[in-house]
């Protein structure tokens, strides 16, 4: 399996987009990777926008970034909650600073804005938050997936196949 | 992509297990396959057990089995509804008779029982319906995925990674 031995953080918060959380969750496991679900508070239960339940296993302080291949930020309205937690925001920034995969889909770009890691980066997102990303210094493109070095971004749940193809490919490196 | 040009039927009905419908849906697309969502009545909307919405595109009569690589039957309580529709049951039987992939997870084994295709076959399922499968003539094993020629079965959503690995592998053949 192409990601055997690799570890990924998958962020969660209330009102996550169910598809954008669960598709990466199962897909990384199918590829042999370990998935650690993280939110501001370890052991907390959350409900997706459609009602699927998910529970965090760890808090940001429990994560040693060097041990991980990347972090994945799902969309929905969860990113609006994730960005309120400074430890979560700092964790995303640390992944970027260490050149690890930082993958964000849909509204997840908001977390990248708060992390202050978008200056000069080429990205995409759900179209409604396009201006927020541009105002944070990003170049915005309307593609199913945009890859800028370690940063991988997509627009909507329909882009999940391309999003995960890009993450798997980057994770193999 | 390993399944480019291949087509799969994904069955849907009310109270489908959200993970067991959506993970195969996105995964097959990621592999380049075309996914056709089928229920007894084309164009019908359904809600998963957790509330994600899904819509069928075609009815069984619209499917030319020879054009497809396989059929995937998700679990939840949807299989109890699928088996009430003789056209759906006949479609599953036709896939098996033509040696196409027949993949069933969790409670989906009920549809295989109604299709009368389990005699002498080695399968797994959610443990609660184990006796229904054995009474239909199957040999039952407690493994994350059981492959018997064209028939691929798994037990629960936790088995989805192994289930899809097996389906992708079979689909490449």
């Amino acid at each position: 399996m192409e990601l055997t031995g690799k570890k990924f953080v998958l962020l969660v918060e209330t009102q996550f987009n169910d598809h954008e959380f669960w598709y990466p969750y199962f897909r990384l496991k199918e590829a042999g990777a370990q998935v650690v679900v993280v939110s501001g508070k370890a052991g907390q239960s959350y409900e997706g926008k459609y009602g699927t339940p998910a529970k965090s296993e760890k808090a940001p302080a429990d994560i040693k970034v060097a041990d991980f291949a990347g972090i994945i930020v799902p969309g929905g309205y969860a990113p609006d909650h994730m960005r309120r937690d400074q430890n979560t925001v700092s964790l995303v920034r640390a992944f970027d600073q260490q050149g690890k995969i930082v993958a964000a889909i849909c509204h997840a770009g908001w977390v990248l804005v708060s992390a202050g890691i978008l200056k000069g980066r080429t990205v995409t997102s759900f179209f409604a938050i396009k201006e927020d990303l541009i105002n944070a210094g990003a170049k915005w493109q309307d593609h199913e997936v945009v890859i800028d070095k370690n940063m991988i971004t997509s627009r909507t749940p329909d882009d999940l196949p391309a999003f995960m193809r890009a993450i798997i490919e980057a994770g193999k490196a």
Side-chain angles (χ1 to χ4, degrees), chain A:
Chain A
M1 291 180 274
E2 58 265 66
L3 298 185
T4 300
K6 301 290 176 79
K7 292 170 69 176
F8 285 82
V9 164
L10 178 59
L11 288 184
V12 72
E13 247 293 354
T14 188
Q15 290 203 63
F16 60 87
N17 178 289
D18 307 65
H19 301 314
E20 292 168 0
F21 176 84
W22 288 110
Y23 187 61
Y25 177 86
F26 286 116
R27 183 64 182 95
L28 291 170
K29 288 186 176 232
E30 186 193 322
Q34 188 186 332
V35 179
V36 180
V37 179
V38 171
S39 73
K41 193 175 166 214
Q44 184 83 18
S45 293
Y46 301 95
E47 237 181 48
K49 283 180 71 176
Y50 289 120
T52 62
K55 195 173 181 177
S56 65
E57 299 158 286
K58 303 277 185 185
D62 304 324
I63 301 301
K64 195 180 159 198
V65 175
D67 294 343
F68 286 79
I71 188 166
I72 297 175
V73 192
Y77 284 126
D80 183 62
H81 293 271
M82 293 167 185
R83 74 193 307 194
R84 302 175 196 188
D85 181 70
Q86 278 312 308
N87 296 325
T88 300
V89 170
S90 297
L91 182 68
V92 172
R93 189 185 305 118
F95 268 84
D96 189 56
Q97 285 171 342
Q98 295 190 33
K100 305 287 186 175
I101 296 168
V102 174
I105 184 164
C106 217
H107 286 80
W110 277 336
V111 181
L112 310 189
V113 171
S114 292
I117 56 176
L118 285 176
K119 209 172 165 82
R121 310 297 285 269
T122 305
V123 296
T124 193
S125 70
F126 187 63
F127 76 97
I129 68 164
K130 173 183 169 176
E131 285 77 17
D132 297 333
L133 274 58
I134 293 172
N135 291 340
K139 296 171 202 162
W140 194 91
Q141 293 182 335
D142 187 17
H143 295 136
E144 61 178 5
V145 62
V146 172
I147 304 169
D148 182 342
K149 295 190 196 79
N150 62 315
M151 192 173 284
I152 298 170
T153 49
S154 285
R155 303 167 305 184
T156 75
D158 287 342
D159 297 335
L160 279 168
F163 184 60
M164 289 311 301
R165 270 196 295 270
I167 291 169
I168 302 279
E169 195 56 35
K172 286 193 289 188

